[in-house]
Amino acid sequence: MPFFKTILSDTIHLFYPHVCTGCGSDLLDEGNLLCIKCIANLPETNFAKHANNPVEKIFWGRLQLIAAHSEFYFSKNSLIQQLIHQFKYKGNTDIGFYMGELMGKSLRASNRFDTVDVLIPLPLYRDKERKRGYNQAAIICNGMSAVMNIPVIKNNVVRQRYTDTQTKKHRTERWENVAGSFIITDTNQLAGKHILLVDDVVTTGATLEACGNTIALINKVQLSIATLAHAPK
């Protein structure tokens, strides 16, 4: 019987190959998204374990944070860039959920995020989310929630206006582009909570700062930040 199962599995794999999202290799077990080689090559930062890490330093004097973290280093033409591109623009939400799980495990192991009450994805403007079909930060949060057992609130913090892409803007232009973009629809739901604000990539932190400053106006709120990747500017 095991022989026939093997033949069936090999036949299915032949016509419906299951390949690594990172390198395209088919040398991986069914259900895995990355091969062993790609998993080993993920550029982990280990920031979660350390206070005053580079992500926390981004927000010094700009936001009062309990802690901040990025799971991976981001660089051009890297594995992480490829995975985030697949996730963000090619509809591969499975890899986003998987990377959210990886980040959730890091945060849980660090013990620096143990008091977090709720995960909030950095919101997209509604038209942009409708066009893409999903908010990538919400997918990341779903993966984190599965590991950390912390609820995700998706519709309380709202981006109320469209903003241009931040990619080619200088630091001041980025801040001006997003200032005043966010509102809270129900402050009572978040009052007194330790909120973990989540996004895919942090560079200058302007968008997270704008959203974080809006959240910080809530009564007795505490704020932390986590992103999948850190792209030094």
Side-chain angles (χ1 to χ4, degrees), residues 171-212:
R171 182 184 297 270
T172 302
E173 292 174 327
R174 288 176 181 233
W175 185 87
E176 291 173 345
N177 186 43
V178 295
S181 297
F182 301 93
I183 58 171
I184 311 296
T185 61
D186 182 2
T187 58
N188 291 329
Q189 185 185 34
L190 301 177
K193 303 290 187 183
H194 181 181
I195 293 169
L196 182 59
L197 181 61
V198 177
D199 198 15
D200 53 355
V201 180
V202 59
T203 305
T204 65
T207 307
L208 286 164
E209 178 188 358
C211 187

mmCIF file of all heavy atoms in Angstrom, residues 171-212:
data_model
loop_
_atom_site.group_PDB
_atom_site.id
_atom_site.type_symbol
_atom_site.label_atom_id
_atom_site.label_comp_id
_atom_site.label_asym_id
_atom_site.label_seq_id
_atom_site.Cartn_x
_atom_site.Cartn_y
_atom_site.Cartn_z
ATOM 1 N N ARG A 171 12.877 61.876 3.405
ATOM 2 C CA ARG A 171 12.288 61.716 4.733
ATOM 3 C C ARG A 171 11.197 62.750 5.014
ATOM 4 O O ARG A 171 10.096 62.412 5.445
ATOM 5 C CB ARG A 171 13.377 61.815 5.804
ATOM 6 C CG ARG A 171 12.868 61.605 7.222
ATOM 7 C CD ARG A 171 13.989 61.821 8.235
ATOM 8 N NE ARG A 171 15.051 60.854 8.051
ATOM 9 C CZ ARG A 171 15.089 59.675 8.657
ATOM 10 N NH1 ARG A 171 14.094 59.316 9.452
ATOM 11 N NH2 ARG A 171 16.101 58.859 8.475
ATOM 12 N N THR A 172 11.474 64.038 4.768
ATOM 13 C CA THR A 172 10.490 65.083 5.036
ATOM 14 C C THR A 172 9.274 64.937 4.137
ATOM 15 O O THR A 172 8.131 65.095 4.582
ATOM 16 C CB THR A 172 11.115 66.479 4.834
ATOM 17 O OG1 THR A 172 12.249 66.616 5.697
ATOM 18 C CG2 THR A 172 10.104 67.565 5.147
ATOM 19 N N GLU A 173 9.498 64.592 2.880
ATOM 20 C CA GLU A 173 8.391 64.393 1.946
ATOM 21 C C GLU A 173 7.519 63.223 2.376
ATOM 22 O O GLU A 173 6.296 63.272 2.250
ATOM 23 C CB GLU A 173 8.933 64.148 0.532
ATOM 24 C CG GLU A 173 9.609 65.361 -0.090
ATOM 25 C CD GLU A 173 10.262 65.032 -1.422
ATOM 26 O OE1 GLU A 173 10.746 63.895 -1.581
ATOM 27 O OE2 GLU A 173 10.290 65.918 -2.298
ATOM 28 N N ARG A 174 8.132 62.175 2.890
ATOM 29 C CA ARG A 174 7.372 61.017 3.364
ATOM 30 C C ARG A 174 6.462 61.417 4.522
ATOM 31 O O ARG A 174 5.296 61.026 4.572
ATOM 32 C CB ARG A 174 8.326 59.900 3.812
ATOM 33 C CG ARG A 174 9.038 59.197 2.665
ATOM 34 C CD ARG A 174 10.030 58.170 3.189
ATOM 35 N NE ARG A 174 10.733 57.521 2.080
ATOM 36 C CZ ARG A 174 10.820 56.209 1.916
ATOM 37 N NH1 ARG A 174 10.237 55.395 2.770
ATOM 38 N NH2 ARG A 174 11.475 55.688 0.898
ATOM 39 N N TRP A 175 7.010 62.185 5.457
ATOM 40 C CA TRP A 175 6.226 62.595 6.618
ATOM 41 C C TRP A 175 5.064 63.485 6.179
ATOM 42 O O TRP A 175 3.931 63.312 6.627
ATOM 43 C CB TRP A 175 7.118 63.324 7.616
ATOM 44 C CG TRP A 175 6.395 63.664 8.882
ATOM 45 C CD1 TRP A 175 6.243 62.890 9.980
ATOM 46 C CD2 TRP A 175 5.716 64.895 9.155
ATOM 47 N NE1 TRP A 175 5.497 63.543 10.935
ATOM 48 C CE2 TRP A 175 5.162 64.776 10.449
ATOM 49 C CE3 TRP A 175 5.516 66.082 8.440
ATOM 50 C CZ2 TRP A 175 4.431 65.803 11.044
ATOM 51 C CZ3 TRP A 175 4.784 67.091 9.030
ATOM 52 C CH2 TRP A 175 4.261 66.946 10.310
ATOM 53 N N GLU A 176 5.334 64.458 5.311
ATOM 54 C CA GLU A 176 4.280 65.357 4.840
ATOM 55 C C GLU A 176 3.208 64.598 4.053
ATOM 56 O O GLU A 176 2.027 64.943 4.098
ATOM 57 C CB GLU A 176 4.894 66.453 3.961
ATOM 58 C CG GLU A 176 5.774 67.433 4.746
ATOM 59 C CD GLU A 176 6.501 68.404 3.833
ATOM 60 O OE1 GLU A 176 6.556 68.135 2.612
ATOM 61 O OE2 GLU A 176 7.025 69.413 4.340
ATOM 62 N N ASN A 177 3.613 63.553 3.350
ATOM 63 C CA ASN A 177 2.696 62.778 2.511
ATOM 64 C C ASN A 177 1.629 62.047 3.337
ATOM 65 O O ASN A 177 0.493 61.881 2.892
ATOM 66 C CB ASN A 177 3.498 61.766 1.689
ATOM 67 C CG ASN A 177 2.652 61.019 0.679
ATOM 68 O OD1 ASN A 177 1.813 61.595 -0.005
ATOM 69 N ND2 ASN A 177 2.863 59.720 0.575
ATOM 70 N N VAL A 178 2.018 61.608 4.551
ATOM 71 C CA VAL A 178 1.105 60.770 5.345
ATOM 72 C C VAL A 178 0.537 61.468 6.574
ATOM 73 O O VAL A 178 -0.340 60.919 7.252
ATOM 74 C CB VAL A 178 1.799 59.462 5.782
ATOM 75 C CG1 VAL A 178 2.125 58.606 4.579
ATOM 76 C CG2 VAL A 178 3.057 59.763 6.600
ATOM 77 N N ALA A 179 1.010 62.665 6.894
ATOM 78 C CA ALA A 179 0.533 63.369 8.085
ATOM 79 C C ALA A 179 -0.980 63.563 8.024
ATOM 80 O O ALA A 179 -1.528 63.983 7.004
ATOM 81 C CB ALA A 179 1.227 64.725 8.213
ATOM 82 N N GLY A 180 -1.671 63.227 9.104
ATOM 83 C CA GLY A 180 -3.115 63.401 9.177
ATOM 84 C C GLY A 180 -3.915 62.390 8.386
ATOM 85 O O GLY A 180 -5.106 62.599 8.143
ATOM 86 N N SER A 181 -3.290 61.276 8.000
ATOM 87 C CA SER A 181 -3.962 60.296 7.151
ATOM 88 C C SER A 181 -4.842 59.312 7.915
ATOM 89 O O SER A 181 -5.674 58.634 7.317
ATOM 90 C CB SER A 181 -2.928 59.488 6.343
ATOM 91 O OG SER A 181 -2.202 60.325 5.479
ATOM 92 N N PHE A 182 -4.660 59.210 9.219
ATOM 93 C CA PHE A 182 -5.293 58.131 9.973
ATOM 94 C C PHE A 182 -6.286 58.650 11.005
ATOM 95 O O PHE A 182 -6.084 59.720 11.600
ATOM 96 C CB PHE A 182 -4.223 57.282 10.674
ATOM 97 C CG PHE A 182 -3.231 56.669 9.723
ATOM 98 C CD1 PHE A 182 -2.033 57.315 9.437
ATOM 99 C CD2 PHE A 182 -3.500 55.463 9.096
ATOM 100 C CE1 PHE A 182 -1.121 56.758 8.556
ATOM 101 C CE2 PHE A 182 -2.602 54.897 8.217
ATOM 102 C CZ PHE A 182 -1.400 55.549 7.937
ATOM 103 N N ILE A 183 -7.341 57.884 11.243
ATOM 104 C CA ILE A 183 -8.317 58.190 12.279
ATOM 105 C C ILE A 183 -8.663 56.904 13.025
ATOM 106 O O ILE A 183 -8.467 55.801 12.520
ATOM 107 C CB ILE A 183 -9.611 58.810 11.704
ATOM 108 C CG1 ILE A 183 -10.261 57.865 10.685
ATOM 109 C CG2 ILE A 183 -9.335 60.174 11.083
ATOM 110 C CD1 ILE A 183 -11.646 58.311 10.243
ATOM 111 N N ILE A 184 -9.176 57.073 14.247
ATOM 112 C CA ILE A 184 -9.652 55.956 15.058
ATOM 113 C C ILE A 184 -11.177 56.028 15.100
ATOM 114 O O ILE A 184 -11.743 57.069 15.426
ATOM 115 C CB ILE A 184 -9.100 56.017 16.499
ATOM 116 C CG1 ILE A 184 -7.582 56.249 16.494
ATOM 117 C CG2 ILE A 184 -9.466 54.755 17.269
ATOM 118 C CD1 ILE A 184 -6.781 55.144 15.885
ATOM 119 N N THR A 185 -11.837 54.934 14.772
ATOM 120 C CA THR A 185 -13.301 54.956 14.727
ATOM 121 C C THR A 185 -13.936 54.659 16.081
ATOM 122 O O THR A 185 -15.054 55.086 16.339
ATOM 123 C CB THR A 185 -13.830 53.945 13.691
ATOM 124 O OG1 THR A 185 -13.422 52.624 14.064
ATOM 125 C CG2 THR A 185 -13.303 54.276 12.301
ATOM 126 N N ASP A 186 -13.243 53.930 16.947
ATOM 127 C CA ASP A 186 -13.791 53.595 18.266
ATOM 128 C C ASP A 186 -12.651 53.560 19.272
ATOM 129 O O ASP A 186 -11.990 52.537 19.464
ATOM 130 C CB ASP A 186 -14.502 52.237 18.226
ATOM 131 C CG ASP A 186 -15.138 51.861 19.567
ATOM 132 O OD1 ASP A 186 -15.065 52.666 20.517
ATOM 133 O OD2 ASP A 186 -15.698 50.745 19.658
ATOM 134 N N THR A 187 -12.403 54.686 19.925
ATOM 135 C CA THR A 187 -11.288 54.769 20.865
ATOM 136 C C THR A 187 -11.526 53.912 22.104
ATOM 137 O O THR A 187 -10.566 53.413 22.711
ATOM 138 C CB THR A 187 -11.049 56.232 21.300
ATOM 139 O OG1 THR A 187 -12.244 56.755 21.888
ATOM 140 C CG2 THR A 187 -10.645 57.090 20.108
ATOM 141 N N ASN A 188 -12.782 53.714 22.487
ATOM 142 C CA ASN A 188 -13.076 52.924 23.683
ATOM 143 C C ASN A 188 -12.613 51.477 23.537
ATOM 144 O O ASN A 188 -12.212 50.840 24.527
ATOM 145 C CB ASN A 188 -14.575 52.954 23.994
ATOM 146 C CG ASN A 188 -15.046 54.309 24.463
ATOM 147 O OD1 ASN A 188 -14.281 55.056 25.090
ATOM 148 N ND2 ASN A 188 -16.278 54.666 24.149
ATOM 149 N N GLN A 189 -12.672 50.954 22.318
ATOM 150 C CA GLN A 189 -12.259 49.572 22.086
ATOM 151 C C GLN A 189 -10.772 49.372 22.349
ATOM 152 O O GLN A 189 -10.330 48.275 22.711
ATOM 153 C CB GLN A 189 -12.589 49.162 20.652
ATOM 154 C CG GLN A 189 -12.296 47.697 20.350
ATOM 155 C CD GLN A 189 -12.520 47.342 18.889
ATOM 156 O OE1 GLN A 189 -12.287 48.167 17.996
ATOM 157 N NE2 GLN A 189 -12.989 46.132 18.626
ATOM 158 N N LEU A 190 -9.979 50.438 22.190
ATOM 159 C CA LEU A 190 -8.525 50.332 22.306
ATOM 160 C C LEU A 190 -7.967 50.994 23.563
ATOM 161 O O LEU A 190 -6.771 50.852 23.848
ATOM 162 C CB LEU A 190 -7.871 50.946 21.068
ATOM 163 C CG LEU A 190 -8.264 50.317 19.728
ATOM 164 C CD1 LEU A 190 -7.599 51.075 18.579
ATOM 165 C CD2 LEU A 190 -7.883 48.851 19.682
ATOM 166 N N ALA A 191 -8.786 51.692 24.311
ATOM 167 C CA ALA A 191 -8.315 52.408 25.505
ATOM 168 C C ALA A 191 -7.699 51.436 26.503
ATOM 169 O O ALA A 191 -8.243 50.365 26.773
ATOM 170 C CB ALA A 191 -9.472 53.159 26.151
ATOM 171 N N GLY A 192 -6.520 51.812 27.016
ATOM 172 C CA GLY A 192 -5.848 51.004 28.018
ATOM 173 C C GLY A 192 -5.157 49.767 27.479
ATOM 174 O O GLY A 192 -4.603 48.973 28.248
ATOM 175 N N LYS A 193 -5.137 49.586 26.160
ATOM 176 C CA LYS A 193 -4.551 48.387 25.559
ATOM 177 C C LYS A 193 -3.083 48.621 25.172
ATOM 178 O O LYS A 193 -2.661 49.739 24.903
ATOM 179 C CB LYS A 193 -5.322 47.990 24.293
ATOM 180 C CG LYS A 193 -6.806 47.739 24.482
ATOM 181 C CD LYS A 193 -7.059 46.474 25.275
ATOM 182 C CE LYS A 193 -8.558 46.162 25.293
ATOM 183 N NZ LYS A 193 -8.852 44.960 26.123
ATOM 184 N N HIS A 194 -2.341 47.532 25.144
ATOM 185 C CA HIS A 194 -1.007 47.550 24.540
ATOM 186 C C HIS A 194 -1.176 47.063 23.109
ATOM 187 O O HIS A 194 -1.479 45.890 22.855
ATOM 188 C CB HIS A 194 -0.051 46.637 25.316
ATOM 189 C CG HIS A 194 1.349 46.628 24.771
ATOM 190 N ND1 HIS A 194 2.355 45.854 25.309
ATOM 191 C CD2 HIS A 194 1.926 47.304 23.721
ATOM 192 C CE1 HIS A 194 3.472 46.041 24.621
ATOM 193 N NE2 HIS A 194 3.230 46.912 23.658
ATOM 194 N N ILE A 195 -0.980 47.961 22.155
ATOM 195 C CA ILE A 195 -1.237 47.702 20.743
ATOM 196 C C ILE A 195 0.073 47.423 20.025
ATOM 197 O O ILE A 195 1.057 48.155 20.190
ATOM 198 C CB ILE A 195 -1.942 48.910 20.092
ATOM 199 C CG1 ILE A 195 -3.345 49.075 20.683
ATOM 200 C CG2 ILE A 195 -2.009 48.766 18.579
ATOM 201 C CD1 ILE A 195 -4.003 50.382 20.305
ATOM 202 N N LEU A 196 0.078 46.369 19.211
ATOM 203 C CA LEU A 196 1.211 46.098 18.336
ATOM 204 C C LEU A 196 0.799 46.459 16.916
ATOM 205 O O LEU A 196 -0.058 45.810 16.311
ATOM 206 C CB LEU A 196 1.620 44.627 18.420
ATOM 207 C CG LEU A 196 2.833 44.215 17.567
ATOM 208 C CD1 LEU A 196 4.068 45.025 17.954
ATOM 209 C CD2 LEU A 196 3.118 42.717 17.724
ATOM 210 N N LEU A 197 1.392 47.524 16.385
ATOM 211 C CA LEU A 197 1.115 48.009 15.033
ATOM 212 C C LEU A 197 2.040 47.291 14.058
ATOM 213 O O LEU A 197 3.261 47.261 14.255
ATOM 214 C CB LEU A 197 1.341 49.518 14.981
ATOM 215 C CG LEU A 197 1.074 50.240 13.661
ATOM 216 C CD1 LEU A 197 -0.384 50.095 13.228
ATOM 217 C CD2 LEU A 197 1.443 51.724 13.784
ATOM 218 N N VAL A 198 1.468 46.707 13.000
ATOM 219 C CA VAL A 198 2.215 45.790 12.133
ATOM 220 C C VAL A 198 2.200 46.271 10.679
ATOM 221 O O VAL A 198 1.162 46.696 10.167
ATOM 222 C CB VAL A 198 1.608 44.366 12.217
ATOM 223 C CG1 VAL A 198 2.332 43.414 11.262
ATOM 224 C CG2 VAL A 198 1.670 43.840 13.651
ATOM 225 N N ASP A 199 3.358 46.163 10.013
ATOM 226 C CA ASP A 199 3.459 46.486 8.580
ATOM 227 C C ASP A 199 4.454 45.533 7.930
ATOM 228 O O ASP A 199 5.086 44.709 8.606
ATOM 229 C CB ASP A 199 3.877 47.939 8.402
ATOM 230 C CG ASP A 199 3.593 48.478 7.000
ATOM 231 O OD1 ASP A 199 2.826 47.824 6.262
ATOM 232 O OD2 ASP A 199 4.119 49.546 6.646
ATOM 233 N N ASP A 200 4.629 45.669 6.609
ATOM 234 C CA ASP A 200 5.537 44.760 5.910
ATOM 235 C C ASP A 200 6.992 45.224 5.976
ATOM 236 O O ASP A 200 7.874 44.452 6.334
ATOM 237 C CB ASP A 200 5.091 44.533 4.457
ATOM 238 C CG ASP A 200 4.885 45.821 3.675
ATOM 239 O OD1 ASP A 200 4.986 46.920 4.262
ATOM 240 O OD2 ASP A 200 4.599 45.731 2.460
ATOM 241 N N VAL A 201 7.262 46.488 5.628
ATOM 242 C CA VAL A 201 8.636 46.981 5.595
ATOM 243 C C VAL A 201 8.711 48.351 6.257
ATOM 244 O O VAL A 201 7.830 49.188 6.052
ATOM 245 C CB VAL A 201 9.157 47.100 4.139
ATOM 246 C CG1 VAL A 201 10.593 47.606 4.122
ATOM 247 C CG2 VAL A 201 9.059 45.758 3.417
ATOM 248 N N VAL A 202 9.754 48.577 7.041
ATOM 249 C CA VAL A 202 10.005 49.911 7.594
ATOM 250 C C VAL A 202 11.302 50.444 7.007
ATOM 251 O O VAL A 202 12.308 49.742 6.945
ATOM 252 C CB VAL A 202 10.073 49.891 9.136
ATOM 253 C CG1 VAL A 202 11.159 48.968 9.669
ATOM 254 C CG2 VAL A 202 10.249 51.305 9.687
ATOM 255 N N THR A 203 11.249 51.691 6.536
ATOM 256 C CA THR A 203 12.446 52.367 6.018
ATOM 257 C C THR A 203 12.716 53.584 6.896
ATOM 258 O O THR A 203 13.477 53.519 7.843
ATOM 259 C CB THR A 203 12.260 52.760 4.540
ATOM 260 O OG1 THR A 203 11.909 51.593 3.790
ATOM 261 C CG2 THR A 203 13.553 53.324 3.963
ATOM 262 N N THR A 204 12.077 54.696 6.614
ATOM 263 C CA THR A 204 12.213 55.872 7.482
ATOM 264 C C THR A 204 11.217 55.834 8.633
ATOM 265 O O THR A 204 11.376 56.560 9.617
ATOM 266 C CB THR A 204 11.991 57.165 6.689
ATOM 267 O OG1 THR A 204 10.636 57.209 6.224
ATOM 268 C CG2 THR A 204 12.931 57.245 5.500
ATOM 269 N N GLY A 205 10.160 55.046 8.499
ATOM 270 C CA GLY A 205 9.156 54.951 9.556
ATOM 271 C C GLY A 205 8.108 56.033 9.521
ATOM 272 O O GLY A 205 7.306 56.155 10.457
ATOM 273 N N ALA A 206 8.048 56.834 8.444
ATOM 274 C CA ALA A 206 7.132 57.973 8.408
ATOM 275 C C ALA A 206 5.666 57.550 8.504
ATOM 276 O O ALA A 206 4.883 58.164 9.235
ATOM 277 C CB ALA A 206 7.364 58.781 7.133
ATOM 278 N N THR A 207 5.277 56.513 7.772
ATOM 279 C CA THR A 207 3.879 56.085 7.787
ATOM 280 C C THR A 207 3.508 55.477 9.126
ATOM 281 O O THR A 207 2.440 55.766 9.681
ATOM 282 C CB THR A 207 3.618 55.071 6.653
ATOM 283 O OG1 THR A 207 4.065 55.620 5.414
ATOM 284 C CG2 THR A 207 2.132 54.753 6.550
ATOM 285 N N LEU A 208 4.381 54.643 9.673
ATOM 286 C CA LEU A 208 4.138 54.063 10.993
ATOM 287 C C LEU A 208 4.096 55.149 12.058
ATOM 288 O O LEU A 208 3.303 55.079 13.003
ATOM 289 C CB LEU A 208 5.221 53.035 11.315
ATOM 290 C CG LEU A 208 5.115 51.705 10.557
ATOM 291 C CD1 LEU A 208 6.430 50.927 10.657
ATOM 292 C CD2 LEU A 208 3.958 50.871 11.097
ATOM 293 N N GLU A 209 4.933 56.160 11.912
ATOM 294 C CA GLU A 209 4.929 57.282 12.856
ATOM 295 C C GLU A 209 3.595 58.018 12.816
ATOM 296 O O GLU A 209 3.003 58.323 13.864
ATOM 297 C CB GLU A 209 6.062 58.251 12.538
ATOM 298 C CG GLU A 209 6.090 59.472 13.442
ATOM 299 C CD GLU A 209 7.108 60.511 12.997
ATOM 300 O OE1 GLU A 209 7.822 60.275 11.992
ATOM 301 O OE2 GLU A 209 7.181 61.572 13.638
ATOM 302 N N ALA A 210 3.100 58.308 11.613
ATOM 303 C CA ALA A 210 1.833 59.023 11.478
ATOM 304 C C ALA A 210 0.691 58.223 12.088
ATOM 305 O O ALA A 210 -0.151 58.769 12.816
ATOM 306 C CB ALA A 210 1.553 59.315 10.008
ATOM 307 N N CYS A 211 0.658 56.941 11.811
ATOM 308 C CA CYS A 211 -0.389 56.093 12.374
ATOM 309 C C CYS A 211 -0.207 55.938 13.878
ATOM 310 O O CYS A 211 -1.169 56.013 14.650
ATOM 311 C CB CYS A 211 -0.364 54.726 11.689
ATOM 312 S SG CYS A 211 -1.732 53.653 12.149
ATOM 313 N N GLY A 212 1.029 55.741 14.301
ATOM 314 C CA GLY A 212 1.312 55.571 15.727
ATOM 315 C C GLY A 212 0.957 56.788 16.554
ATOM 316 O O GLY A 212 0.448 56.671 17.673
#
